[in-house]
Amino acid sequence: MAAAVGAIVMLALMVICSSVHGAGRTLVLLDNMAMKETHSIFFKSLSDRGYDLNFKTADDPSLKLINYGEFLYDHLVIFAPSVYEFGGNVDVAAITNFIDGGGNVLVAASSDIGEPLRDLGAECGIEFDEDKTAVIDHLNYDVADDGQHTLIVANTADIIEAKTVVGEKATSPVLFRGVGMTADPDNPLVLDVMHASSTAYSFYPDENISEYPHAVGKNTLLLAALQARNNARVVFSGSVDLFSDEFFQAPVQKASPGSKKFPLSGNQNLAVALSKWVFREQGVLRVGQVKHHKMGESTPPVAYTVEDDVEFSIVIEKLAGDKWVPFDGDDVQLEFVRIDPFVRTTLKRKGGKFFTQFKLPDVYGVFQFKVDYNRVGYTHLYSATQVSVRPFQHTQFERFIPCAYPYYVSAFSMIAGVFVFSLVYLHHKEERKEKAE
Amino acid sequence: MSANILTVLTKFYDEYQKNTPQRLKIIDAYLGYIMLTGIVQFVYCALVGTFPFNSFLSGFISCVGSFVLAVCLRVQVNPSNKSQFYNLSPERAFSDFIFASIILHLVVMNFIG
């Protein structure tokens, strides 16, 4: 009896425990299981933060991302650059579907890149270079390079300055060995996280240059990030070695004479910060309560009237750890829009509540209070509240128009004039001319 | 040329003073007052613009209408026109003037907004 109760309690506990870790279910696809050891520091940093890692090889026939319409994982890590075809039910369409469902993906490629990864990049707006090409930089390669100048040193100046995406400003350069990417600079969703220096290019290391390289100079992306419109995040890295233990622990020194030697590369800090961003630990915002009302009242009216004084407030929170704390941005703007914005102000902040007061324009119609916050590294906030603004009632106009006072005065003076004139006219006695007799 | 105009005007003024009955001079003074008010309103509208156009119209029409009615009264009461208005007594003319003025001012008050 006690044993049965005990068993039920244990089962309940296990269910609760598994649901607590539910937000960190991660599928890690590798080329071969040896990569679990070569990238152990990175994976340890993930599991230390509470992620439930499931390691599988990329062509495992039992792979499944979705089961009966529900996603089995929240995050996907693909450290399988040379995969020829994903196994099981996973393919590029399934991964794209996973991103559309809100899942985050971290993809790392290398010079041995396979078609599936190139297709996946193309779906997200990133073009990987061909298989067997590498990013080559004859002026910025490390001393440990094997002669082909493909182990390049990415300067800290070539990393994006966004604290939410890459953490604090790097102090050491980053080591990179892999394939280059390009993205359309007009793509509003793709972030250039790290690009190569202007002396780099992407081509086959063993061949003479016979055609224009796929990527040249600063257009060569080494790390690219995409935040989709549903706020799912995808990071593409041209180098899976960037996340390896070897690069985390390696010193960095450019092979040009007189360059500084850094005892430790910036790879680990960058990789950990990226993983925090891509798995939505950092830079995640949400909108809380939105309130609007006339000044002096506390509930919104059925319809506002033209030229009312209105107060608007919105609560924005940021995810810190697993708590939501008030957001501390100072550039959140409100637009009062009827097709075009009539009013655009910056909201003032008190704690996590952003508020402002303004006077409605002298235009009636159906308007929206729009807060559209789109900043690098943060989730895209969009909050629209629709209200109607009606014109003045017949009795709400001013009774006497000041600039028409002369007309009022003249009309009344005409009336007074008739009165005075008729008095004078009627009481006037005609002087009789004295007829001389 | 100017000498001629001046003599004409002086002669006209003297004739007017000598030969016009007092009653008509009262009406003329009233007419002058109405014209002044009308001119002031018109100049104000030209400067400031026609914003409350209905107010401008009603004020101006009140001046113009009163002017017309007063001119009618003067014509009908003038003794030298007695041959044309033989069956219209001056009292009848004045009561017509008052009746029409009442209607005019009623309309003006409604339209002035």
Side-chain angles (χ1 to χ4, degrees):
Chain A
M1 182 58 190
V5 169
I8 292 172
V9 168
M10 281 291 288
L11 203 60
L13 270 175
M14 273 166 59
V15 167
I16 292 168
C17 285
S18 65
S19 66
V20 162
H21 282 290
R25 298 167 301 170
T26 312
L27 175 62
V28 183
L29 298 180
L30 305 168
D31 254 347
N32 50 67
M33 287 315 240
M35 289 178 77
K36 224 166 121 177
E37 310 305 323
T38 55
H39 292 72
S40 62
I41 303 180
F42 180 68
F43 292 131
K44 184 161 183 308
S45 78
L46 285 183
S47 59
D48 281 346
R49 294 209 302 272
Y51 290 96
D52 171 22
L53 302 175
N54 297 291
F55 294 93
K56 296 223 162 79
T57 51
D59 44 17
D60 188 326
S62 68
L63 282 183
K64 246 197 314 199
L65 277 177
I66 188 168
N67 195 15
Y68 299 121
E70 275 196 16
F71 288 110
L72 295 168
Y73 304 98
D74 304 298
H75 314 295
L76 179 59
V77 176
I78 306 181
F79 278 3
S82 62
V83 61
Y84 176 70
E85 198 182 331
F86 287 110
N89 290 342
V90 174
D91 57 359
V92 175
I95 298 175
T96 317
N97 187 29
F98 177 71
I99 298 172
D100 287 339
N104 309 307
V105 183
L106 171 61
V107 178
S110 75
S111 292
D112 284 325
I113 188 171
E115 275 311 302
L117 284 198
R118 299 191 72 228
D119 289 341
L120 180 59
E123 288 282 334
C124 299
I126 307 284
E127 283 180 36
F128 282 100
D129 204 353
E130 302 266 341
D131 186 22
K132 303 281 179 293
T133 59
V135 179
I136 303 167
D137 192 339
H138 298 299
L139 297 181
N140 286 312
Y141 61 95
D142 191 63
V143 286
D145 181 65
D146 60 359
Q148 292 198 320
H149 299 176
T150 51
L151 176 60
I152 61 177
V153 173
N155 305 309
T156 53
D158 290 332
I159 303 178
I160 194 176
E161 278 193 24
K163 273 215 328 228
T164 40
V165 182
V166 296
E168 295 299 330
K169 189 133 177 68
T171 46
S172 318
V174 172
L175 286 170
F176 179 96
R177 177 171 55 206
V179 68
M181 304 179 275
T182 49
D184 185 355
D186 290 336
N187 188 334
L189 304 176
V190 170
L191 276 180
D192 166 9
V193 177
M194 190 164 83
H195 56 255
S197 68
S198 41
T199 49
Y201 62 95
S202 168
F203 205 72
Y204 300 98
D206 296 329
E207 290 185 14
N208 292 327
I209 310 273
S210 52
E211 55 187 35
Y212 199 80
H214 172 80
V216 168
K218 292 207 185 212
N219 292 335
T220 320
L221 296 182
L222 306 177
L223 281 172
L226 169 87
Q227 181 165 271
R229 292 189 200 276
N230 62 349
N231 289 322
R233 292 171 175 173
V234 185
V235 166
F236 289 92
S237 166
S239 164
V240 72
D241 294 331
L242 193 149
F243 296 93
S244 66
D245 294 353
E246 179 199 340
F247 279 31
F248 278 7
Q249 295 164 331
V252 183
Q253 187 184 17
K254 284 197 203 165
S256 44
S259 45
K260 183 163 170 229
K261 178 168 169 144
F262 296 89
L264 204 56
S265 69
N267 285 43
Q268 185 167 5
N269 291 337
L270 179 62
V272 167
L274 266 182
S275 69
K276 282 191 187 156
W277 184 79
V278 75
F279 295 143
R280 286 201 255 164
E281 279 178 64
Q282 274 280 36
V284 181
L285 302 174
R286 75 171 179 191
V287 167
Q289 194 191 33
V290 173
K291 282 209 300 206
H292 59 90
H293 52 85
K294 278 198 234 202
M295 290 244 284
E297 296 177 16
S298 58
T299 51
V302 169
Y304 288 103
T305 311
V306 166
E307 291 186 12
D308 265 350
D309 286 310
V310 164
E311 204 174 303
F312 174 85
S313 73
I314 184 173
V315 173
I316 301 181
E317 290 170 325
K318 185 168 79 162
L319 187 61
D322 49 5
K323 284 197 300 53
W324 290 95
V325 298
F327 179 55
D328 58 352
D330 56 359
D331 56 352
V332 185
Q333 281 188 327
L334 167 73
E335 280 185 342
F336 192 61
V337 176
R338 181 194 76 169
I339 304 178
D340 296 313
F342 281 79
V343 175
R344 191 184 274 147
T345 61
T346 314
L347 296 174
K348 296 187 274 275
R349 182 170 67 93
K350 192 170 77 160
K353 190 163 106 149
F354 294 81
F355 63 93
T356 188
Q357 297 160 341
F358 62 97
K359 196 166 147 81
L360 295 181
D362 188 10
V363 181
Y364 64 88
V366 177
F367 288 81
Q368 283 184 330
F369 288 104
K370 253 195 223 176
V371 174
D372 188 2
Y373 192 67
N374 197 4
R375 300 286 181 273
V376 165
Y378 286 104
T379 50
H380 178 205
L381 285 184
Y382 183 78
S383 153
T385 318
Q386 189 162 297
V387 293
S388 15
V389 175
R390 52 193 261 312
F392 280 129
Q393 262 181 351
H394 183 69
T395 53
Q396 286 176 313
F397 289 99
E398 50 194 349
R399 182 64 188 89
F400 298 109
I401 301 173
C403 71
Y405 278 175
Y407 308 127
Y408 302 153
V409 164
S410 86
F412 283 110
S413 78
M414 284 296 109
I415 297 177
V418 167
F419 190 67
V420 168
F421 163 72
S422 50
L423 275 183
V424 169
Y425 185 82
L426 289 174
H427 290 284
H428 170 73
K429 281 195 181 68
E430 198 66 56
E431 287 127 19
R432 291 182 194 282
K433 292 212 180 72
E434 310 223 321
K435 287 212 174 144
E437 281 290 332
Chain B
M1 264 325 261
S2 54
N4 281 343
I5 294 180
L6 216 57
T7 38
V8 164
L9 283 178
T10 343
K11 197 153 193 299
F12 171 74
Y13 186 65
D14 289 337
E15 276 288 323
Y16 178 77
Q17 286 290 60
K18 264 201 305 208
N19 295 345
T20 353
Q22 188 71 347
R23 289 208 115 103
L24 296 187
K25 285 205 189 130
I26 295 174
I27 301 183
D28 289 338
Y30 177 55
L31 283 172
Y33 164 69
I34 295 176
M35 188 143 76
L36 210 66
T37 324
I39 290 174
V40 164
Q41 264 186 105
F42 193 76
V43 166
Y44 176 77
C45 177
L47 286 176
V48 167
T50 60
F51 163 49
F53 197 50
N54 59 317
S55 305
F56 162 65
L57 278 185
S58 86
F60 195 64
I61 292 295
S62 129
C63 292
V64 169
S66 302
F67 190 87
V68 166
L69 292 177
V71 164
C72 287
L73 176 67
R74 189 186 195 277
V75 160
Q76 287 166 350
V77 153
N78 199 345
S80 18
N81 292 342
K82 231 180 169 112
S83 51
Q84 282 178 318
F85 297 105
Y86 54 86
N87 61 347
L88 200 113
S89 60
E91 292 77 19
R92 170 73 202 279
F94 186 74
S95 69
D96 283 346
F97 165 73
I98 292 295
F99 179 62
S101 287
I102 291 175
I103 298 181
L104 172 72
H105 288 114
L106 217 65
V107 170
V108 160
M109 280 300 118
N110 267 299
F111 196 55
I112 201 160

